[in-house]
Amino acid sequence: MAFGASRRFLSHQFRGCFLGRLASCRYHYPLLYPPSPSSALSFLFSTLDEPPNLFDDGVLADRTRNQRSIDERFVISELSDLLLVNPHGSVSNTLNENPSEKQMPIRAVDGFLLPEEKLRGVFLQKLNGKTAIEHALANTDVNLSQDVVNKVLNTGSLGSEAMVTFFYWAIKQPSIPKDTSSYNIILKALGRRRFFDSMMHVLHKMTREGVNANMETVSIVVDSLVKAHQVSKALQLFRNLKEIGLECDTETLNILLECMCRRSHVGAANSFFNLIKGNVPFNAMTYNIIIGGWSRYGRHSEVERILKAMEVDGFSPDCLTYTYLIECLGRANRIDDAVKIFDKMDENGCKPDVNAYNAMISNFICIGDFDECLTYYKRMLSNRCEPDINTYSNLIIGFLKAKKVADALEMFDEMVARIIPTTGAITSFMKLSCSYGPPHAAMLIYKKARKVGCRISKNAYKLLLMRLSLFGKFGMLLNIWNEMQESGYDPDVETYEHVIDCLCKTGQLENAVLVMEECLRQGFFPSRQIRSKLNNKLLDCNRTEMAYKLWLKIKVARHQENLQRCWRAKGWHH
């Protein structure tokens, strides 16, 4: 009796935890479909009222007729609300109705859409003419801001013409300033999508409109071209900077060289560096950029050649120069020479900074000498050089890769005592700690990060759920599930799969079926591996009827999934 009561209590707990989550979802379906026992979702997925003989011809015929009539009435009702048509009256009666009475259902239909989705939806209507598009955009009743403009342009699949049309409409609105920051948004979006012709057209029109380009504008355009391997176009843009009101000076040259070196075009950057020497004045940063580019590949001979040219031009190496040199020697597996350079920095008038210490720590991590890593870390603290996020990330990731979990956790404690880790750093730690062994280390990192106020990414939550599911830690998994929702993340198909897998491993098949039904009800379709695993578990436990009812729901969900794939293939989505 006690076991049966506990199972019933756990089932009710799951209904409250998983099935009761509809009210907190992003898409509030009750606005569209009033809750009723005959709603479409309950009709499709409920097996509580199934007839006893599902294979009887009469029963199947009645069910088919009833389903068709219910579906037709449901579709007609929805279309009448959308098109302002009375399903039970004539056309003349519909025209005489008060339009204000039908306004609320229309607002309810698009009420669940985000502002950027409403604006992008205008371009799905294939309106003819710029005036019609601008009129439709104005009727979306969206509070426009630069953040909304950024989301419209950088998400979705708008074409270049649609992006430019929307942007020019947006800067006409009083809430969007017609300045360089706004133009940088559209330039970055067009460059990211490789719409280079439109990007250059907007850049030149920006100049004609009297909006001055700045260094960020140059960096965005040049980086977009170099990232797409359009190096020649980037060089041509640099030569024609006067067309956009800028000069070919040291600052713009450094931006060009830095983009080329960052995108692994250091050879082309070095050639252009030699070509333009004497036409544009150099500074120490110009040489450091080229040195940093070669240091990434361990090309010590090239680094020494640039160093000599730097000294000939009257520039002394600074801390950044020595940092690149130490990094280059480490990549060339010349650790002893890197140590000598580091020790001579004080003699040359450059006190080692955090970047120099980080370079030495990284060099010893690469060869697996963690004792020397800790030696330089303690030396950094004794010299009152404050470690940064890169220092701790290099050490913790190095310890985790070497499976020194205790040392990694100890270093993480020192990290949270000094600085707040970034979301990306926590995700990288979780990814490594969840790649082997039990989830104990990952849980410690997660709890300490939450305690200091660090925001946890959804990927980190999914990694934790995956690891807890693998070891059958269902109680901990349920707590992480709830905390993930408290952080504002909605579950997806992967999180549901982890929960179902964990329930199957712990033998809670009834609750696994409940979660599977909730997953299907939310519009997700689990993988074949999870479906087969749950079905085989049910059959092994002689739950044939439960397995059959679940199969019926999966069959309908598979049909819906295939329809959605067809819609997406035809472009019927926003």
Side-chain angles (χ1 to χ4, degrees):
M1 292 296 292
F3 177 76
S6 63
R7 291 295 294 272
R8 287 194 298 272
F9 172 76
L10 191 54
S11 298
H12 288 296
Q13 181 183 7
F14 265 92
R15 292 181 185 272
C17 178
F18 293 102
L19 305 182
R21 203 190 58 79
L22 291 173
S24 61
C25 289
R26 170 186 162 192
Y27 299 103
H28 300 284
Y29 293 101
L31 292 173
L32 291 173
Y33 311 122
S36 63
S38 62
S39 62
L41 292 178
S42 62
F43 178 81
L44 290 175
F45 296 113
S46 178
T47 58
L48 297 177
D49 299 322
E50 291 287 349
N53 189 357
L54 295 174
F55 297 96
D56 184 72
D57 295 337
V59 173
L60 288 175
D62 292 340
R63 287 189 61 204
T64 303
R65 285 193 296 269
N66 292 336
Q67 180 176 357
R68 186 181 297 112
S69 62
I70 291 176
D71 290 343
E72 289 175 356
R73 290 197 302 270
F74 177 75
V75 171
I76 292 173
S77 175
E78 290 299 316
L79 288 176
S80 64
D81 287 339
L82 289 172
L83 303 177
L84 299 179
V85 176
N86 188 351
H88 305 292
S90 62
V91 177
S92 60
N93 293 335
T94 301
L95 294 176
N96 293 330
E97 289 181 354
N98 187 3
S100 61
E101 296 178 358
K102 288 292 182 179
Q103 188 68 22
M104 289 304 295
I106 294 175
R107 289 302 178 192
V109 167
D110 65 353
F112 65 91
L113 293 176
L114 296 174
E116 58 269 20
E117 292 174 342
K118 294 180 182 180
L119 294 169
R120 282 200 306 270
V122 171
F123 295 94
L124 295 177
Q125 303 175 26
K126 306 298 181 182
L127 300 175
N128 293 325
K130 188 177 298 184
T131 304
I133 295 175
E134 292 182 353
H135 181 70
L137 290 171
N139 288 336
T140 54
D141 195 22
V142 170
N143 293 328
L144 206 60
S145 64
Q146 284 191 339
D147 183 58
V148 174
V149 173
N150 186 36
K151 291 179 180 179
V152 172
L153 296 174
N154 286 285
T155 56
S157 56
L158 294 180
S160 60
E161 185 178 355
M163 294 170 67
V164 173
T165 302
F166 168 75
F167 174 75
Y168 285 141
W169 169 81
I171 59 177
K172 295 178 184 178
Q173 310 308 310
S175 58
I176 304 299
K178 189 178 179 180
D179 58 2
T180 309
S181 61
S182 298
Y183 274 94
N184 286 344
I185 294 175
I186 181 65
L187 291 173
K188 189 172 185 178
L190 291 171
R192 185 182 64 86
R193 299 284 303 279
R194 300 194 178 188
F195 297 140
F196 298 127
D197 292 337
S198 299
M199 181 181 70
M200 300 306 297
H201 175 74
V202 172
L203 180 63
H204 288 95
K205 187 173 181 179
M206 165 185 173
T207 306
R208 291 194 300 267
E209 294 288 336
V211 181
N212 297 323
N214 56 16
M215 294 300 109
E216 183 182 0
T217 308
V218 177
S219 177
I220 290 172
V221 177
V222 170
D223 188 64
S224 299
L225 293 171
V226 175
K227 184 179 179 181
H229 306 288
Q230 304 284 337
V231 180
S232 59
K233 291 185 178 180
L235 298 178
Q236 182 180 0
L237 174 68
F238 174 77
R239 294 188 179 98
N240 299 330
L241 280 177
K242 291 184 178 181
E243 296 180 2
I244 59 174
L246 296 175
E247 297 292 335
C248 298
D249 54 9
T250 306
E251 189 174 5
T252 54
L253 174 63
N254 290 347
I255 291 175
L256 173 65
L257 296 177
E258 185 176 4
C259 291
M260 294 174 68
C261 291
R262 184 171 63 245
R263 299 298 180 181
S264 302
H265 292 284
V266 61
N270 188 81
S271 299
F272 188 73
F273 170 84
N274 295 329
L275 179 64
I276 206 170
K277 189 174 183 180
N279 298 325
V280 177
F282 294 167
N283 59 10
M285 180 56 66
T286 309
Y287 287 97
N288 284 336
I289 291 172
I290 301 298
I291 292 173
W294 287 121
S295 68
R296 292 177 57 190
Y297 298 95
R299 301 286 294 273
H300 183 256
S301 59
E302 297 291 340
V303 170
E304 285 192 342
R305 181 178 62 81
I306 301 298
L307 273 174
K308 292 179 181 178
M310 182 179 183
E311 293 175 351
V312 169
D313 287 349
F315 298 103
S316 300
D318 54 11
C319 288
L320 184 59
T321 310
Y322 285 113
T323 299
Y324 286 142
L325 181 57
I326 292 171
E327 180 183 350
C328 178
L329 292 171
R331 293 182 182 275
N333 201 22
R334 298 171 58 178
I335 305 298
D336 295 336
D337 293 336
V339 172
K340 293 178 181 178
I341 295 296
F342 182 85
D343 293 337
K344 290 182 179 179
M345 287 183 66
D346 282 327
E347 299 178 4
N348 296 331
C350 292
K351 184 178 181 180
D353 58 359
V354 62
N355 293 321
Y357 280 105
N358 289 344
M360 291 300 301
I361 291 173
S362 297
N363 289 341
F364 284 109
I365 288 176
C366 291
I367 63 175
D369 193 346
F370 293 99
D371 292 335
E372 286 296 324
C373 291
L374 295 177
T375 299
Y376 276 91
Y377 172 72
K378 295 176 182 177
R379 183 174 172 182
M380 179 193 312
L381 298 178
S382 63
N383 291 333
R384 297 181 180 180
C385 181
E386 193 66 22
D388 60 1
I389 184 68
N390 294 324
T391 309
Y392 290 109
S393 295
N394 292 336
L395 286 169
I396 294 172
I397 290 175
F399 284 135
L400 289 175
K401 286 183 177 180
K403 298 185 178 181
K404 297 178 177 292
V405 179
D407 294 330
L409 293 177
E410 182 180 355
M411 189 59 60
F412 185 76
D413 290 338
E414 296 188 24
M415 178 182 184
V416 296
R418 292 177 177 272
I419 58 177
I420 297 179
T422 61
T423 303
I426 296 298
T427 304
S428 62
F429 301 158
M430 301 279 284
K431 184 177 181 180
L432 287 171
S433 59
C434 289
S435 62
Y436 58 86
H440 175 69
M443 286 297 300
L444 288 178
I445 293 175
Y446 166 75
K447 291 179 179 179
K448 292 176 182 177
R450 275 178 58 92
K451 188 176 180 180
V452 298
C454 178
R455 179 169 176 79
I456 310 298
S457 67
K458 188 174 183 178
N459 287 334
Y461 277 112
K462 290 164 70 172
L463 288 169
L464 264 182
L465 292 174
M466 178 269 296
R467 205 64 187 172
L468 293 171
S469 171
L470 183 64
F471 283 82
K473 305 289 185 180
F474 177 69
M476 301 169 68
L477 182 143
L478 186 59
N479 292 332
I480 298 298
W481 174 283
N482 293 330
E483 292 173 0
M484 181 183 72
Q485 295 184 69
E486 291 174 0
S487 299
Y489 300 118
D490 288 332
D492 56 13
V493 64
E494 294 182 17
T495 56
Y496 278 111
E497 288 178 355
H498 296 326
V499 175
I500 295 170
D501 184 51
C502 185
L503 290 171
C504 289
K505 289 179 179 178
T506 55
Q508 303 181 43
L509 300 182
E510 294 179 0
N511 292 323
V513 171
L514 289 176
V515 179
M516 176 69 79
E517 292 175 351
E518 165 71 4
C519 178
L520 298 175
R521 192 176 292 110
Q522 292 296 326
F524 303 122
F525 193 67
S527 63
R528 178 180 296 180
Q529 181 182 1
I530 295 298
R531 301 196 312 267
S532 300
K533 186 173 186 178
L534 179 56
N535 183 70
N536 294 335
K537 290 281 186 180
L538 291 171
L539 294 179
D540 292 341
C541 297
N542 296 324
R543 305 286 183 86
T544 307
E545 183 179 0
M546 184 180 294
Y548 176 69
K549 292 180 179 180
L550 182 61
W551 175 81
L552 291 176
K553 297 181 180 181
I554 291 176
K555 181 180 178 181
V556 177
R558 183 186 293 110
H559 177 68
Q560 298 295 329
E561 178 72 12
N562 292 336
L563 285 179
Q564 291 181 11
R565 289 180 180 177
C566 178
W567 297 341
R568 295 189 186 102
K570 295 180 180 294
W572 298 346
H573 63 289
H574 60 269

